[in-house]
Amino acid sequence: MGIAENSKGLVLAVASGVFIGASFILKKKGLKQAATNGTRVGGYSYLLQPFWWAGMVTMFIGEVANFVAYIYAPALLVTPLGALSIIVSAVLAHFLLKEKLQQMGILGCVFCIVGSVLIVIHAPQEHALNSVQEIWDLATQPLFLVYVTVTVSIILALILHFEPRYGQKNMLVYLGICSLMGSLTVMSTKAIGIAIKLTLEGISQLTYPQTWFFLTVAVICIITQLNYLNKALDTFNTAIVSPVHYVMFTTLTIIASVIMFKDWSDQSASSIASEICGFIIVLSGTILLHATREKEQPNMRGSLTWYIGEDLVKGIEDERLNLIIHGSDYIEQ
């Protein structure tokens, strides 16, 4: 049963990475076409581009697949596979957008694939949960309550003390808030997903107050997470923010999952060590890919800047398009 559930989660996680990675390129191609046409409708001419809408639909499908993947497989398996979207977008950009994939970028892709294979081979089996009450029992165990208390305390300290003083100088302030919130988001959305699954199977979970509690926590965390991710993207270089956010978000999500769902309780030391090695290899590949990504240079007066970032629920591995127009002439860079 556990192997079958993990297989479903694996297929959905891989499909999510493909769809989300492709969506970046489709939307960017739509943005390029809008800039090439040189016509604007209130500054939103990209809304008239089929490629941009195809990217939005593809992104939605990918995010849904990612959400459902967490229902069938542990976060320890699903979250690191978010790196596949980076590989897909890099490869498609090379062929469709003529953004050259450097040799070190190719090496980064290989690292991500090898690390992902290691994680898949040694990933723990998903524990069968039959009610939201069982998830609530896991969420209220002492060790996880300590994690939540420490996490919330750090978030409050970052928001109230460090952000006003260092938010504009150090991206770790914004990304710390975003990643810590992200780990709680994944735990909450996993609980919601399992509740939905059980309800569709005829075992209604809507009468449990815990279901609505997890939903409330997820909404608060997602809104906060997106807010501070957007601040980081507005303030700092996207090429640096994306890999650092991926590393922090994935690491904290795995820690939270290991504590709450006891993912490593039935595994041998060698399997755990292999998963950690696979995770480190994926992180290395992700950093290599971002570090070697070819940057487009502006060649016209004025600018139209798009920031395309990813989370990951999902973290959602989330994406944001931020438009800044200077002057009457514009270009996407």
Side-chain angles (χ1 to χ4, degrees):
M1 179 67 175
I3 295 177
E5 296 284 274
N6 264 30
S7 298
K8 292 178 183 177
L10 171 61
V11 171
L12 287 165
V14 172
S16 171
V18 172
F19 278 110
I20 292 175
S23 73
F24 296 153
I25 305 308
L26 289 172
K27 282 192 278 191
K28 190 167 185 179
K29 192 171 181 63
L31 297 175
K32 281 180 173 291
Q33 288 184 345
T36 301
N37 292 340
T39 57
R40 290 183 291 174
V41 180
Y44 298 98
S45 61
Y46 61 90
L47 294 175
L48 302 176
Q49 299 300 322
F51 274 110
W52 189 85
W53 284 107
M56 288 298 292
V57 172
T58 307
M59 170 62 74
F60 177 77
I61 295 172
E63 294 293 357
V64 170
N66 188 67
F67 173 76
V68 179
Y70 279 110
I71 300 175
Y72 293 104
L76 192 61
L77 171 62
V78 177
T79 307
L81 292 181
L84 295 179
S85 65
I86 302 174
I87 297 176
V88 172
S89 63
V91 173
L92 290 179
H94 177 78
F95 291 104
L96 299 181
L97 300 179
K98 308 304 179 184
E99 296 179 2
K100 186 178 179 182
L101 185 61
Q102 308 292 339
Q103 289 185 346
M104 292 302 291
I106 296 174
L107 181 61
C109 290
V110 173
F111 275 21
C112 287
I113 293 172
V114 171
S116 297
V117 170
L118 269 177
I119 292 172
V120 169
I121 291 174
H122 298 282
Q125 302 302 317
E126 175 75 342
H127 299 293
L129 296 169
N130 300 313
S131 72
V132 172
Q133 182 61 51
E134 290 185 27
I135 305 174
W136 179 257
D137 292 338
L138 292 173
T140 54
Q141 59 185 309
L143 189 57
F144 188 70
L145 287 178
V146 170
Y147 174 82
V148 172
T149 302
V150 172
T151 297
V152 172
S153 299
I154 295 174
I155 290 172
L156 290 175
L158 289 172
I159 292 175
L160 299 177
H161 178 75
F162 290 96
E163 184 195 355
R165 295 170 175 80
Y166 308 108
Q168 297 293 315
K169 302 175 183 177
N170 192 329
M171 69 178 176
L172 294 181
V173 175
Y174 291 144
L175 294 183
I177 298 171
C178 181
S179 300
L180 288 165
M181 277 292 191
S183 68
L184 299 180
T185 299
V186 171
M187 299 304 103
S188 301
T189 52
K190 186 175 177 68
I192 295 167
I194 293 173
I196 293 174
K197 175 191 173 187
L198 292 171
T199 300
L200 293 176
E201 291 175 351
I203 309 172
S204 178
Q205 304 296 303
L206 301 179
T207 57
Y208 288 91
Q210 291 92 334
T211 301
W212 302 104
F213 175 81
F214 284 126
L215 179 60
T216 302
V217 171
V219 171
I220 293 172
C221 289
I222 289 171
I223 292 173
T224 306
Q225 185 180 350
L226 287 175
N227 177 45
Y228 284 97
L229 178 58
N230 287 342
K231 286 186 177 182
L233 291 170
D234 276 340
T235 309
F236 303 99
N237 190 327
T238 308
I240 299 175
V241 169
S242 295
V244 173
H245 173 251
Y246 175 81
V247 170
M248 294 176 66
F249 167 74
T250 306
T251 301
L252 290 169
T253 298
I254 288 176
I255 292 173
S257 181
V258 167
I259 294 174
M260 179 172 171
F261 293 101
K262 303 183 185 300
D263 292 330
W264 284 343
S265 59
D266 299 325
Q267 288 200 288
S268 64
S270 60
S271 293
I272 295 173
S274 297
E275 290 165 26
I276 294 174
C277 289
F279 177 52
I280 293 173
I281 293 172
V282 170
L283 294 184
S284 302
T286 303
I287 292 171
L288 268 178
L289 266 172
H290 279 282
T292 58
R293 179 171 292 175
E294 188 178 69
K295 295 182 176 62
E296 296 176 84
Q297 299 298 327
N299 55 14
M300 292 174 63
R301 184 166 47 89
S303 66
L304 174 61
T305 305
W306 293 89
Y307 296 99
I308 303 179
E310 58 229 323
D311 139 16
L312 38 24
V313 153
K314 158 181 154 150
I316 278 231
E317 290 116 122
D318 299 303
E319 175 180 348
R320 177 180 180 267
L321 298 177
N322 181 28
L323 176 62
I324 303 172
I325 302 177
H326 300 291
S328 58
D329 298 323
Y330 65 96
I331 182 175
E332 181 199 359
Q333 68 179 39

